[in-house]
Amino acid sequence: MKDQPLKNREGLTETEFLAAYDPNRYGRPSVTVDLLIFTVTDEETGSYRRLPGKALKLLLVRRADHPFLGQWALPGGFVRTGESLNEAAVRELREETNVERVYLEQLYTWGDVGRDPRTRVISASYLSLADSSCLDVRAGSDAGEAGWFTVVCRLTQERKTVTPEGHILAKTYSLSLRHGETELSAEIEAVKTVEGRVSQTQWEIVHSEGLAFDHAKLIAYAVERLRGKIKYTDIAFRLMPERFTLTELQKVYEVILDKDLLKANFRRKLAGMVIETDGMTKDGGHRPAKLYRFNAAWADSDANEEGRS
């Protein structure tokens, strides 16, 4: 005897249920994608004998329409019916900045009520690290301008309060972004509440100057996640050319982490991630240095697995 289709409490099969289903029964929030495209660039030092410094930069676009007309925002936009989040991220990045074929990783989903004055919006943010010298950035039709902003995000205050169930840890971050004569700033607070073995973190904007929507906290969150990820993944190598010196690699780590690193400790920790080549630098005014490349086999190595644990 052939199995009978299952019926719900109203006596409907799945086919019957779907045929009668009203998609307007529940409100449907709009869905967007926001793209955090980071790069690291050289900064002039004023001395030909010194290696150039490094700066962490983020790609922003200036809004050409309401809301937040004239303010700067992350590239992104609404997800179309029939496309996935990843497809929307790729399309929006291409349409707004002319950037294509870069690594994109879904980072976090933001769904606070009232984060967009137009309507209820839930946004998936994406993180990317890219070599800006290989990108032809141009603003699209719905963006007035696109530019790389130097990013500085620093922890300025940390407060811990013990509660009967656990503790509350509040961190305050100062965020500044600069592009030519344009300067943007914000202060963001991340409050982590721990109750027993359960914890949750809420990000809030204390104030924001020149940044549209709630993008200040998306940026601060992404910087903190990026700082965590370069400690146990190979993501930083996406910013490097095919061959590089260990000093250049260390400078990239330092600018992302916003702190100086001990040369010996850094090289010992990264030893398994790089392979020495036969090449040497030939820059005038500097001593020749050995060139290295990324060890593609590191991702499957035991050392990498230990780093993840």
Side-chain angles (χ1 to χ4, degrees), residues 7 84 93 136 155:
K7 297 183 179 182
S84 68
L93 187 60
D136 180 20
L155 178 65

Side-chain angles (χ1 to χ4, degrees), residues 122-138:
I122 296 172
S123 180
S125 60
Y126 279 78
L127 171 69
S128 174
L129 269 69
D131 183 351
S132 60
S133 65
C134 300
L135 305 179
D136 180 20
V137 174
R138 295 196 304 268

Side-chain angles (χ1 to χ4, degrees), residues 90-120:
V90 171
R91 173 183 56 78
E92 283 290 344
L93 187 60
R94 181 182 65 250
E95 292 178 353
E96 291 203 350
T97 66
N98 194 49
V99 171
E100 296 185 274
R101 292 184 294 276
V102 296
Y103 159 83
L104 286 170
E105 173 187 338
Q106 193 173 139
L107 189 63
Y108 194 76
T109 302
W110 304 87
D112 292 347
V113 176
R115 58 184 304 270
D116 190 312
R118 292 169 295 188
T119 186
R120 177 81 166 93

Side-chain angles (χ1 to χ4, degrees), residues 63-282:
R63 290 187 55 78
D65 200 357
H66 297 297
F68 303 103
L69 175 64
Q71 294 194 28
W72 291 86
L74 297 167
F78 289 90
V79 179
R80 295 173 179 172
T81 302
E83 69 179 353
S84 68
L85 291 174
N86 288 358
E87 290 168 343
V90 171
R91 173 183 56 78
E92 283 290 344
L93 187 60
R94 181 182 65 250
E95 292 178 353
E96 291 203 350
T97 66
N98 194 49
V99 171
E100 296 185 274
R101 292 184 294 276
V102 296
Y103 159 83
L104 286 170
E105 173 187 338
Q106 193 173 139
L107 189 63
Y108 194 76
T109 302
W110 304 87
D112 292 347
V113 176
R115 58 184 304 270
D116 190 312
R118 292 169 295 188
T119 186
R120 177 81 166 93
V121 172
I122 296 172
S123 180
S125 60
Y126 279 78
L127 171 69
S128 174
L129 269 69
D131 183 351
S132 60
S133 65
C134 300
L135 305 179
D136 180 20
V137 174
R138 295 196 304 268
S141 58
D142 53 352
E145 184 181 351
W148 291 103
F149 280 71
T150 299
V151 183
V152 177
C153 183
R154 289 182 176 146
L155 178 65
T156 58
Q157 190 176 24
E158 188 170 356
R159 307 174 307 280
K160 183 175 182 179
T161 304
V162 177
T163 66
E165 296 80 16
H167 67 269
I168 298 174
L169 180 63
K171 295 182 178 181
T172 302
Y173 295 89
S174 173
L175 175 68
S176 66
L177 302 105
R178 178 175 50 81
H179 172 61
E181 299 297 318
T182 302
E183 294 187 5
L184 315 174
S185 64
E187 186 175 276
I188 304 97
E189 188 172 67
V191 179
K192 181 178 181 180
T193 303
V194 178
E195 296 180 350
R197 301 175 68 177
V198 178
S199 68
Q200 61 177 357
T201 302
Q202 186 71 27
W203 290 74
E204 297 291 346
I205 296 174
V206 179
H207 74 79
S208 179
E209 184 68 34
L211 280 165
F213 303 102
D214 58 353
H215 288 183
K217 69 180 181 181
L218 273 66
I219 296 170
Y221 177 84
V223 171
E224 283 301 291
R225 283 290 302 275
L226 175 58
R227 287 170 177 165
K229 290 178 73 67
I230 69 167
K231 295 177 181 178
Y232 65 89
T233 74
D234 60 3
I235 192 171
F237 288 88
R238 300 181 184 277
L239 297 168
M240 306 304 298
E242 183 177 353
R243 300 197 304 172
F244 49 83
T245 69
L246 293 183
T247 298
E248 291 171 333
L249 181 61
Q250 182 172 337
K251 284 183 176 292
V252 167
Y253 272 76
E254 288 177 337
V255 74
I256 292 175
L257 294 171
D258 195 29
K259 67 178 181 180
D260 294 331
L261 302 173
L262 293 176
K263 180 178 177 180
N265 290 348
F266 174 78
R267 297 192 174 194
R268 183 164 53 250
K269 182 176 178 61
L270 274 291
M273 300 179 71
V274 297
I275 297 176
E276 184 178 335
T277 72
D278 295 331
M280 301 283 288
T281 59
K282 299 179 181 179

Side-chain angles (χ1 to χ4, degrees), residues 297-308:
W298 176 84
D300 298 321
S301 68
D302 292 339
N304 179 38
E305 291 301 320
E306 292 174 3
R308 292 175 181 271

Side-chain angles (χ1 to χ4, degrees), residues 10-28:
E10 283 79 32
L12 301 175
T13 65
E14 182 172 311
T15 300
E16 294 168 335
F17 168 80
L18 293 175
Y21 184 77
D22 179 9
N24 295 313
R25 181 177 178 182
Y26 301 102
R28 288 177 285 175

